[in-house]
Amino acid sequence: MESDVSRPKVVVGVDGSHSSKEALRWAVRYAGLVDGTVDAVAVWELPGLYGWSGPAVDMDVDEDETRQKVSQELTDVLGSDAAGSVRTHVVHGNAADVLLRAAEGAEVLVVGSRGRGGFARALLGSVSQHVSQHASCPVVIVRSGQQ
């Protein structure tokens, strides 16, 4: 993931959830305040891929589908003009690990926290909890106003 060393880098995890969209908005607003760049990182992983049998799906199709979803999310959230200013990265792997690598040298890592209602809303998601404990930069966890 290339970086512009002259400007602060803001990394945001995107996954299509309401809190992810709020995190994307937050990241873009913050980058504007610090004259930074935004790297939107989407991670895709096939369940069961690491078992003893080979994948029964075309991995290129899943990556292409993820790229299309990310592009659509950026356009829906930011509008077509602003979406073009965000660098997108679609990476296969474990979400927390990929986000931690992407955030190396970043000004901040921004992620959403997806609650599922009731008491679970008070808890962090597993990815946001993991990156908040292991990131080499500050982490902002954004909650969605939607339930």
Side-chain angles (χ1 to χ4, degrees), residues 9-11 26 30 100 103 105-111 131-132 134-141:
K9 178 173 77 167
V10 178
V11 176
W26 194 98
Y30 181 78
L100 289 171
E107 172 93 4
V108 66
L109 170 60
V110 186
V111 293
V131 299
S132 70
H134 299 285
S136 59
C137 65
V139 176
V140 174
I141 300 170

Side-chain angles (χ1 to χ4, degrees), residues 88-112:
T88 59
H89 307 278
V90 176
V91 182
H92 176 260
N94 173 275
D97 293 340
V98 169
L99 288 170
L100 289 171
R101 280 194 310 272
E104 290 175 3
E107 172 93 4
V108 66
L109 170 60
V110 186
V111 293

Side-chain angles (χ1 to χ4, degrees), residues 10 23-33 38 78 82 85-86:
V10 178
L24 178 59
R25 286 184 189 97
W26 194 98
V28 169
R29 282 193 306 267
Y30 181 78
L33 293 173
V38 178
L78 304 174
S85 68
V86 175

